[in-house]
Amino acid sequence: MNPVAEKSTVETSKTTRSLTLVQAVTDALGTMLAEDNRVMLLGEDIGKNGGVFRATEGLQEKFGEDRVIDTPLSEAGIVGSSVGLAVNGMIPVVEIQFLGFVYPAYEQIATHVSRVRMRTMSKYTVPMVIRAPYGAGVRAPEIHSDSPESLFTHMPGIKVVCPSSPADAKGLLIAAIKDPDPVLFMEPMRLYRAFREDVPEGMYEVEIGKGKKITEGDDVTVITWGAMVPVAKKAVEKAKAKGIQCDFIDMRTLFPLDQDIIAESVQKTGRVVVVHESHETTGVGNDILSIINKTSFLYMKAPIEKVTGFDVPVPFFALEDDYLPTPKRIGEAIEKVYTF
Amino acid sequence: MEELYPITQYVNEEGKFTDDSIKEDLTAELVHSFYYNMLRIRTFDRKAKSLQRQGRLGTYALFEGQEAAQVGSALSLKKDDWVFPTYRDHGAILTFGANMPKVLLYWNGRAEGNLHPNRNIFPPAVPIATQLPHATGAAWADKRKGNKNVSITYFGDGATSEGDFHEGMNFASVFKLPVVFFNQNNGYAISVPIEKQMNSKTIAQKSVAYGMPGIRIDGNDIFAVYFETKKAFDRARNGDGPTLIEAVTQRFGAHTTADDPTKYRDQNEVDATRDQLDPLLRLERFMKEQNYWEDKWVQEISTQINEEIEEAIVEMENFPKANVEDLFDHVFAEMPWPLREQKEQYLQSVRSDQ
Ligand SMILES: Cc1ncc(C[n+]2csc(CCOP(=O)(O)OP(=O)(O)O)c2C)c(N)n1
């Protein structure tokens, strides 16, 4: 077997290709596998099958069975052995088939992945990425549709990233793989093939911890991420038709949150709607409120509205549309803060 | 099943060979190193217990009774191998080359206690069985790098009920990794006896499910532990994959200094087994029988060990005070703003107290 060599370098090209979000993920994984011999993909059905969403399609063929590994069906086994791989010099990129199946590995993440650095005062670190499709709205069976991000934003020592577009997905995933710390990378499955976008070829990074302004407006700040971006966007467009201009922000990273982009916008508008798919109580929305409280209290003109999933288990799909925030609910919240 | 996994023993309770096929591999040096290392960690363990009683260490996990299992398995490791211990395996890591003052620091609540120079010793796993997949992963990385290192991981009988035990073993066997799963079957998971832990009579038989060799050994017979573990390491280094070893042993004392074993077992009965089971006594008998024993040598090493431990205690107790900044500085490579703000605020408040 070849000894694992240090990095080779891939030229960054200025050209772009039109890709879906899931293709952008594949592109990022392929780019990093080619760039760095230490990168290994581990997951269920990711080899021959290319992953249930085809996110790893063709990669095993290209990079071999010792780089792209079909593991046993064992989330704690995948994440736990990745801890050992990472401390011994590899960069494991784990696919959890659906984020709702991360629970068996939760112990490994909570007790080791997130703590090895602190426990060993940085002697040992576990640079690894845990990627998983998440979210409701695709008529999947029970558990497949969960979005338990706050279980991880509440866990010190791990970053949480959630792109909503192909270009961000590629740039953020590469940044996550290069990050010296563990990253949970949430992929909105309902956006996997929802649209295409021009994505730079080759090495391309988007900084973790920075939000993105999608539209500019002076009246109301709308903050969301992931699969809720297109949903909120519809509400933002409707509001525009009624003369309400929204500052519309995609957070992209849920830990650490970009407090500057929030404060800058809120201090301009004084009115805020936070939208997220996961449950309301102890959701990431509350951290956004807390940032606003800290940075922008005296600028506020209306109480903040949250439009979120309810505090109920993500239901069977007959009711999932009722569970999820809709453009209508978001639109009502925008009007409510605007007319307060 | 039990008949399929007879207990391998070379030297019995009376210190006599039951199988002398290892005789030609024995050297005086090896026998002396068995005794020296077992005496060293027993003395350490007793001293640590007494330091805890004096309030000079935090809660401490005792291993008295398990010295042969820990020393015998750790002695043939090579410098670049990996050890994934639990909270009860500091006897093994000390034998492997852990820094003694650091081991004491660990039990005094200091993260610095996990930093053993020049050895791949992972911090002791506190959540039961979680270290098995880690050993598998480290072995996997070594296999990919194409070198001959092995990983060993230690765990108790209770750990075999956890999913991570099975997941770690399964991965290791599927990918044929150079890892040794070293079980110390001490009969209890805190208060729960093994009969209530599992319906199978042996732990070694669980290897069948994973298509790997499973070996049951007398964990109080250091010869059995040393030679059988060495064989497993050799197999692993040769690319023949993992082994599960069940070392049948006992802990004579409490689970930890916070535990009262009289609540779940008759301690007098345990004490009465000492004469038969104590691994150091057995080795002493063997050494006397085989003319390896010298009173003078034992006195010399006892003095030397006591001095080493006293010096380690002094070093531990003189270690600089924990730095408050360390609370924040090792969570991420680069500190994210929530931590930075929390740190600044806290440091200001600490300074304004002074
Ligand atoms: C996941 C988990 N559950 C419970 C505990 C609490 N606990 C600590 S030690 C222990 C018993 C472990 O027994 P065993 O694996 O036989 O090891 P031994 O302590 O005998 O060495 C328990 C239940 C724990 N540390 N981790």
Side-chain angles (χ1 to χ4, degrees):
Chain A
M1 194 173 300
N2 287 340
V4 176
E6 286 301 305
K7 299 175 152 206
S8 65
T9 322
V10 169
E11 272 302 301
T12 307
S13 114
K14 298 278 176 283
T15 57
T16 61
R17 283 193 304 156
S18 175
L19 301 178
T20 61
L21 196 152
V22 71
Q23 288 170 333
V25 166
T26 316
D27 190 7
L29 295 172
T31 304
M32 285 310 294
L33 282 162
E35 158 89 1
D36 191 333
N37 207 350
R38 299 170 302 172
V39 173
M40 293 166 72
L41 311 191
L42 298 94
E44 295 158 10
D45 307 292
I46 70 167
K48 273 227 166 66
N49 200 29
V52 290
F53 288 100
R54 308 283 172 262
T56 52
E57 184 128 69
L59 296 176
Q60 189 181 63
E61 223 179 338
K62 190 160 173 202
F63 295 98
E65 282 186 38
D66 65 332
R67 306 282 310 281
V68 181
I69 297 138
D70 271 328
T71 66
L73 209 172
S74 161
E75 288 74 18
I78 298 171
V79 172
S81 40
S82 292
V83 169
L85 282 163
V87 300
N88 201 3
M90 301 294 136
I91 303 174
V93 181
V94 162
E95 176 173 301
I96 298 293
Q97 209 155 58
F98 292 85
L99 190 54
F101 299 126
V102 79
Y103 306 122
Y106 195 75
E107 181 187 19
Q108 282 289 344
I109 303 171
T111 63
H112 296 292
V113 172
S114 63
R115 294 181 199 234
V116 167
R117 180 187 284 279
M118 173 97 171
R119 185 182 287 148
T120 66
M121 302 182 80
S122 305
K123 174 180 175 182
Y124 293 123
T125 61
V126 285
M128 64 187 271
V129 177
I130 300 169
R131 330 177 1 252
Y134 86 95
V138 301
R139 303 296 183 251
E142 201 194 1
I143 317 292
H144 292 69
S145 313
D146 286 13
S147 52
E149 60 263 32
S150 18
L151 299 184
F152 298 92
T153 53
H154 191 68
M155 185 188 287
I158 180 160
K159 295 176 183 171
V160 180
V161 173
C162 184
S164 72
S165 75
D168 282 353
K170 176 171 178 183
L172 285 166
L173 181 51
I174 289 181
I177 298 172
K178 290 187 169 181
D179 199 285
D181 289 308
V183 179
L184 174 70
F185 194 81
M186 299 167 58
E187 298 169 8
M189 71 176 100
R190 62 197 283 202
L191 302 186
Y192 263 155
R193 296 186 170 83
F195 62 99
R196 292 179 172 275
E197 180 180 71
D198 284 344
V199 177
E201 283 208 68
M203 198 48 76
Y204 160 69
E205 279 183 68
V206 171
E207 189 180 343
I208 292 175
K210 290 273 181 279
K212 177 168 81 172
K213 198 72 83 61
I214 297 177
T215 61
E216 287 271 353
D218 293 338
D219 299 329
V220 175
T221 299
V222 176
I223 302 174
T224 192
W225 57 86
M228 286 300 104
V229 169
V231 178
K233 198 168 176 192
K234 282 195 186 132
V236 165
E237 278 160 9
K238 273 225 175 95
K240 191 173 176 188
K242 292 186 185 169
I244 309 172
Q245 313 292 331
C246 293
D247 229 25
F248 182 30
I249 296 169
D250 174 0
M251 286 314 303
R252 299 197 292 194
T253 295
L254 308 184
F255 186 90
L257 285 163
D258 181 350
Q259 65 172 344
D260 296 340
I261 200 170
I262 297 170
E264 179 273 327
S265 173
V266 173
Q267 290 174 14
K268 176 175 68 175
T269 64
R271 302 173 197 277
V272 183
V273 175
V274 181
V275 181
H276 61 66
E277 161 168 354
S278 62
H279 324 286
E280 175 169 358
T281 298
T282 335
V284 175
N286 293 347
D287 292 289
I288 293 172
L289 264 60
S290 142
I291 286 172
I292 295 168
N293 179 54
K294 183 181 71 174
T295 60
S296 315
F297 182 69
L298 293 176
Y299 295 84
M300 295 311 290
K301 297 176 192 153
I304 298 164
E305 280 293 313
K306 285 190 288 182
V307 184
T308 69
F310 302 113
D311 286 347
V312 302
V314 179
F316 291 170
F317 67 72
L319 288 175
E320 76 184 336
D321 291 343
D322 295 287
Y323 168 83
L324 285 170
T326 55
K328 181 163 179 287
R329 278 172 62 203
I330 302 166
E332 285 164 5
I334 293 174
E335 286 196 33
K336 191 169 169 191
V337 298
Y338 185 65
T339 58
F340 177 78
Chain B
M1 263 295 176
E2 220 176 343
E3 319 76 63
L4 294 178
Y5 292 92
I7 293 187
T8 301
Q9 185 189 62
Y10 293 109
V11 172
N12 68 11
E13 291 75 2
E14 275 76 56
K16 296 201 164 75
F17 276 119
T18 44
D19 172 350
D20 65 3
S21 61
I22 53 165
K23 214 169 174 176
E24 58 193 59
D25 296 321
L26 285 187
T27 59
E29 195 193 348
L30 185 62
V31 175
H32 283 123
S33 116
F34 287 167
Y35 193 82
Y36 166 78
N37 280 289
M38 290 208 309
L39 183 66
R40 176 170 177 258
I41 67 168
R42 171 161 297 178
T43 315
F44 176 90
D45 193 58
R46 289 186 174 172
K47 189 72 199 184
K49 179 179 167 185
S50 110
L51 289 174
Q52 189 280 334
R53 293 279 183 261
Q54 298 163 41
R56 292 157 75 190
L57 283 187
T59 302
Y60 172 80
L62 312 105
F63 54 70
E64 183 157 337
Q66 302 183 202
E67 291 90 348
Q70 298 201 11
V71 168
S73 56
L75 262 187
S76 58
L77 284 163
K78 299 194 172 149
K79 186 173 168 288
D80 290 331
D81 292 336
W82 284 82
V83 179
F84 292 82
T86 75
Y87 48 80
R88 203 185 300 291
D89 303 313
H90 33 296
I93 66 170
L94 280 166
T95 305
F96 179 47
N99 177 282
M100 192 183 283
K102 293 279 171 72
V103 173
L104 289 167
L105 268 182
Y106 173 83
W107 291 105
N108 233 346
R110 298 288 296 271
E112 290 90 338
N114 283 326
L115 312 181
H116 301 288
N118 310 319
R119 286 290 184 282
N120 299 318
I121 298 171
F122 213 53
V126 172
I128 300 300
T130 52
Q131 72 281 12
L132 273 75
H134 303 166
T136 294
W140 200 346
D142 276 325
K143 183 172 175 177
R144 271 208 68 208
K145 289 191 256 189
N147 59 36
K148 293 278 177 207
N149 301 337
V150 299
S151 295
I152 184 171
T153 180
Y154 292 88
F155 54 99
D157 36 302
T160 65
S161 299
E162 290 275 6
D164 282 13
F165 163 80
H166 300 277
E167 299 185 62
M169 297 240 296
N170 188 44
F171 270 61
S173 74
V174 167
F175 298 104
K176 229 180 180 192
L177 303 174
V179 50
V180 173
F181 297 97
F182 192 88
N183 171 255
Q184 290 169 88
N185 176 357
N186 67 8
Y188 282 90
I190 311 187
S191 68
V192 178
I194 190 159
E195 305 77 42
K196 290 192 176 162
Q197 191 69 239
M198 60 188 72
N199 196 29
S200 52
K201 290 277 185 283
T202 76
I203 285 165
Q205 75 194 61
K206 294 172 195 274
S207 61
V208 173
Y210 302 104
M212 70 170 79
I215 292 159
R216 196 157 193 244
I217 58 178
D218 182 340
N220 301 323
D221 169 10
I222 187 152
F223 298 89
V225 180
Y226 176 80
F227 286 104
E228 294 306 312
T229 313
K230 199 163 188 300
K231 276 188 217 161
F233 287 149
D234 289 344
R235 267 200 303 279
R237 285 187 219 283
N238 287 333
D240 296 331
T243 305
L244 171 63
I245 297 179
E246 173 186 0
V248 181
T249 180
Q250 67 290 311
R251 72 170 146 82
F252 288 132
H255 170 70
T256 67
T257 48
D259 169 56
D260 172 12
T262 60
K263 287 184 76 175
Y264 53 85
R265 68 184 190 193
D266 182 345
Q267 194 58 32
N268 289 331
E269 271 175 28
V270 175
D271 294 342
T273 62
R274 260 205 111 97
D275 187 63
Q276 284 298 294
L277 299 181
D278 186 333
L280 261 97
L281 266 181
R282 187 183 308 193
L283 182 58
E284 181 178 333
R285 287 173 187 147
F286 173 88
M287 288 170 77
K288 286 180 171 157
E289 173 108 3
Q290 303 281 330
N291 285 326
Y292 286 111
W293 188 267
E294 280 172 71
D295 284 335
K296 191 165 149 277
W297 176 76
V298 175
Q299 259 169 21
E300 269 170 28
I301 60 165
S302 303
T303 311
Q304 184 192 329
I305 287 166
N306 282 321
E307 277 171 13
E308 182 194 7
I309 293 171
E310 290 308 324
E311 279 168 25
I313 295 168
V314 170
E315 192 173 332
M316 181 266 292
E317 292 190 327
N318 288 325
F319 207 77
K321 240 181 84 174
N323 181 357
V324 178
E325 306 211 2
D326 288 338
L327 180 59
F328 302 95
D329 289 352
H330 297 286
V331 183
F332 292 98
E334 207 178 308
M335 205 178 293
W337 67 263
L339 264 79
R340 208 167 47 239
E341 288 187 3
Q342 290 160 24
K343 178 179 172 180
E344 276 161 21
Q345 253 184 28
Y346 184 62
L347 289 183
Q348 259 172 27
S349 126
V350 168
R351 286 194 194 107
S352 70
D353 283 346
Q354 288 161 359

